[in-house]
Amino acid sequence: MEYYKQINEIWRVQGYRKAINTLRQQKQPVRTKQDALKLPGFGHQLSDKLEEIVKTGKLTRLIESKKDSRAAVLGLLEGIFGVGPNTAREWYNDGVRNLSNARVRPDLTPQQRVGIDRYHDFNTRIPRNEVAQHFSVVESAARNIDSGLRCFIMGSYRRGVQTCGDIDLIVTKPGTKRIEEGEKSLMWVLQKLTTQLTAMGFLKVCLLGKDKGGKDSNSKWYGASMLEDIGIWRRIDILIVPWSELGASLLYFTGNDLFNRSIRMLAVKKGMSLNQHGLFKDVIRDKNWKKIHRGTLVEAHDERKIFEALGIKWLEPKERNVG
DNA sequence: TCTCAGCGCCG
DNA sequence: CGGCGC
DNA sequence: GAGA
Ligand SMILES: O=c1ccn([C@H]2C[C@H](O)[C@@H](COP(=O)(O)OP(=O)(O)OP(=O)(O)O)O2)c(=O)[nH]1
Ligand SMILES: [Mg+2]
């Protein structure tokens, strides 16, 4: 809808999403520029646009933008997994206009190749109940490897939406403090789990998190999974997290992204810092706002306690759909 | 005019 | 490191 | 895009 700005316009998009969010929260309909201007996220430009929509039922600027074929191609290319704004622009300037052009790029990464071959699959929303089925497959396999493992469905599924863009999962184990600790470490589990599910034919391809020769920093695995009776490849993300960081991980992986960004900004305003590993205080930042010291841990295991420490009331996952 | 979250993985 | 993704 |  309001996604008609693609090119180097991520902040404009963020502005629109914030405004949409405040608009949703309004109980009373907002009809005039005067009303709109009072709302957070609405400045003169957006208020003008709102008034135009209310009065005429359309937005001239939007109709014009539909004719922008360059934006349409850039949008198409960015729909490829592994292609972002820069690659899309570079390819466009090189004459790429469709997926077939893109498919024969010599600089195509293995990720992008899969992204093109499965373009339609990956851009198809997943019904809620199918997400749960994928989860069951992974959970059974995990429990089979180690009965102590715990799995959670995250992302938009946890926020209660009816269709999901992908499948987001967390695998953890009570008592763990580091993903590399122990005989059957979580890292080992992830490796074992993904190889096993690939051999079963459930996981179709690995897009990130392949065991690199010697290196071992694998806390995540992104790829594709498929249910035999559905036949569509789905994007699936599996994270392993230490039990000690479960709360921060749940908070992070539940989102949505705008919610995470606003709650993290709130943390900064309160002199703290929030990431997927925990909430920290006494963070030392240099003059360029870059972190020098991580600070000391406030809370990481308990999601509710992170809300408390930030001084905000608990929000159910479904209340975290921002924008 | 500056900022807009914070971090993991890959080539 | 830049790029991309979550 | 808004906000400081
Ligand atoms: O830029 C981002 C993107 C995602 N996330 C977190 C929040 C998000 O909820 C979660 C999973 O990401 P995903 O891209 O799968 O989003 P989603 O909320 O699950 O929506 P979708 O239904 O499109 O998968 O990771 C962020 O913190 N920042
Ligand atoms: Mg998701």
Side-chain angles (χ1 to χ4, degrees), chain A residues 104-304:
Chain A
V104 297
R105 289 286 305 190
D107 53 351
L108 201 68
T109 68
Q111 249 183 20
Q112 293 162 345
R113 182 188 311 277
V114 178
I116 294 174
D117 292 342
R118 297 289 155 177
Y119 189 86
H120 185 263
D121 281 6
F122 287 173
N123 287 293
T124 305
R125 308 275 312 171
I126 312 166
R128 191 176 171 78
N129 74 307
E130 189 188 329
V131 175
Q133 295 185 62
H134 286 255
F135 170 77
S136 298
V137 175
V138 177
E139 189 185 38
S140 312
R143 286 273 164 90
N144 215 26
I145 289 168
D146 180 341
S147 59
L149 294 171
R150 299 293 178 78
C151 308
F152 301 88
I153 320 186
M154 307 302 301
S156 46
Y157 183 96
R158 185 166 183 240
R159 298 197 310 276
V161 310
Q162 284 308 305
T163 67
C164 304
D166 62 2
I167 300 145
D168 303 298
L169 307 177
I170 280 182
V171 177
T172 182
K173 181 174 178 177
T176 49
K177 287 194 173 59
R178 296 152 38 90
I179 60 173
E180 57 271 76
E181 87 190 0
E183 184 73 6
K184 292 182 172 182
S185 71
L186 285 166
M187 275 178 44
W188 177 85
V189 164
L190 185 63
Q191 167 68 33
K192 186 94 180 162
L193 184 65
T194 51
T195 359
Q196 202 165 295
L197 289 169
T198 304
M200 280 173 48
F202 172 71
L203 293 179
K204 293 300 184 185
V205 68
C206 168
L207 295 168
L208 179 152
K210 193 82 143 278
D211 217 3
K212 301 283 287 181
K215 288 193 79 176
D216 55 2
S217 59
N218 291 345
S219 68
K220 49 177 67 171
W221 192 95
Y222 301 166
S225 59
M226 188 192 82
L227 295 175
E228 212 58 51
D229 53 341
I230 304 272
I232 305 175
W233 285 26
R234 306 301 198 180
R235 280 276 299 102
I236 182 168
D237 299 343
I238 307 175
L239 305 197
I240 46 169
V241 309
W243 189 251
S244 57
E245 295 177 5
L246 182 57
S249 300
L250 291 172
L251 185 54
Y252 156 67
F253 219 30
T254 298
N256 63 359
D257 55 345
L258 273 193
F259 174 82
N260 285 356
R261 290 157 73 167
S262 49
I263 198 175
R264 286 173 184 204
M265 280 186 74
L266 183 80
V268 168
K269 284 193 197 122
K270 304 213 170 190
M272 294 182 271
S273 171
L274 177 64
N275 60 33
Q276 60 268 54
H277 303 295
L279 178 65
F280 301 83
K281 66 172 182 179
D282 304 329
V283 180
I284 320 266
R285 292 179 148 98
D286 70 6
K287 62 183 171 127
N288 289 325
W289 206 231
K290 289 283 158 235
K291 261 190 247 184
I292 293 173
H293 189 266
R294 300 205 326 287
T296 59
L297 182 65
V298 176
E299 178 60 42
H301 174 68
D302 190 322
E303 196 179 12
R304 282 178 189 271

